[in-house]
Amino acid sequence: MQIDLFTILPTLLEAPLAGSLLGRARSRGLVDVRVHDLRRFTDDVHRSVDDAPFGGGAGMVLLPEPIFAAVEAVQPHRPLLLLGPGGRRFDQVVAVELAASPGFSLVCGRYEGVDERVREHLVDGELSVGDYVLAGGEAAAWVVVEAVTRLLPGVMGNEASADDESFGDGLLAYPQYTRPATFRAWDVPEVLRSGDHGRIARWRRAQALARTIARRPDLIEARGGLTEGDRAVLAEFGLG
Ligand code: JCQ
């Protein structure tokens, strides 16, 4: 998979790239993440990447020229997506879609915004990581890179764990415990030490369902409510 990131602050993306497990996946050829400094694609003496908005107003707007020049030089994989609060909400469904592609690319907006011609004539869409405003799209881009690349076979240490957790099946994760079996008088649930793998699997499913019902009923709604099997396993552990 090829991921191309376009930014005016490359260090904000190079640092997490160097510090993550992705570094290893990258050297093993599983995924290639490239960070492109938009300033390298300027041609004026000041290396300008931004200017004041036409019509007046506070702040600066990213110039179209460096962004078009960078994208035309790199010819990155598409979709080419602009990060910004006005975009399609990034979620696990989008992460899975992007993980199934040979590559994608992200443009990090900054300041008061990006020249509208980038939106109209260059990118394929806009992606939002949530309803808040960041100083720039770099932190949002890293959220997307991490959520997508961890789904690729061989990128994470543990092959199985990417699927067996929150949102893999549209449910929140079941509670996990490790040693010691008793910590400050709080015991690990007996079922997890029983060795009965069928009962453990049903307990975990019941816990994931109960937790999702309590904290994220919208996720239960999205999977079309509870099935008979769901109700049965909840009842088995007194959670119905
Ligand atoms: C991304 N949720 C919030 C800030 C303008 C494209 O124009 C702009 C982009 C940004 C950076 O992205 C975000 C964001 N998802 O703020 C202002």
Side-chain angles (χ1 to χ4, degrees):
M1 167 170 282
Q2 176 82 57
I3 303 173
D4 286 291
L5 308 175
F6 297 89
T7 173
I8 63 165
L9 289 175
T11 55
L12 283 189
L13 291 166
E14 282 158 356
L17 191 55
S20 72
L21 282 176
L22 260 185
R24 278 186 53 239
R26 199 184 191 186
S27 54
R28 286 185 292 149
L30 298 170
V31 56
D32 187 18
V33 183
R34 299 188 297 190
V35 178
H36 306 284
D37 181 358
L38 291 172
R39 219 169 277 280
R40 284 185 31 239
F41 299 90
T42 56
D43 49 19
D44 66 315
V45 286
H46 300 107
R47 315 237 91 179
S48 310
V49 289
D50 60 352
D51 205 339
F54 272 115
M60 301 291 266
V61 175
L62 284 188
L63 294 165
E65 179 61 27
I67 304 175
F68 273 81
V71 168
E72 284 162 2
V74 170
Q75 294 279 308
H77 273 93
R78 286 178 182 261
L80 172 65
L81 302 168
L82 178 65
L83 290 158
R88 173 187 179 190
R89 175 64 63 86
F90 180 72
D91 61 14
Q92 195 65 23
V93 171
V94 180
V96 168
E97 273 174 32
L98 291 174
S101 75
F104 65 93
S105 306
L106 302 171
V107 178
C108 301
R110 268 223 157 234
Y111 309 119
E112 307 327 302
V114 176
D115 187 284
E116 189 65 17
R117 288 162 290 193
V118 168
R119 231 177 236 110
E120 288 181 333
H121 304 296
L122 187 65
V123 302
D124 302 304
E126 195 164 335
L127 213 49
S128 166
V129 299
D131 289 341
Y132 36 77
V133 182
L134 300 167
E138 287 78 10
W142 189 255
V143 167
V144 173
V145 167
E146 187 161 311
V148 171
T149 55
R150 67 180 287 288
L151 297 174
L152 303 176
V155 170
M156 287 200 324
N158 181 350
E159 284 312 286
S161 66
D163 220 46
D164 186 29
E165 59 175 45
S166 290
F167 298 112
D169 56 2
L171 296 176
L172 300 182
Y174 50 77
Q176 295 275 26
Y177 296 85
T178 184
R179 279 183 283 278
T182 301
F183 172 69
R184 298 189 180 179
W186 297 304
D187 295 331
V188 170
E190 175 279 326
V191 56
L192 297 178
R193 307 179 61 209
S194 68
D196 182 342
H197 299 295
R199 190 157 157 263
I200 290 169
R202 294 196 306 282
W203 181 86
R204 285 177 164 169
R205 178 124 199 108
Q207 289 289 325
L209 283 163
R211 191 171 269 203
T212 310
I213 291 163
R215 300 183 193 176
R216 293 293 306 275
D218 58 303
L219 296 177
I220 299 290
E221 192 70 25
R223 38 202 314 281
L226 298 176
T227 67
E228 273 314 304
D230 292 340
R231 292 183 200 283
V233 84
L234 285 165
E236 177 180 352
F237 294 96
L239 296 166

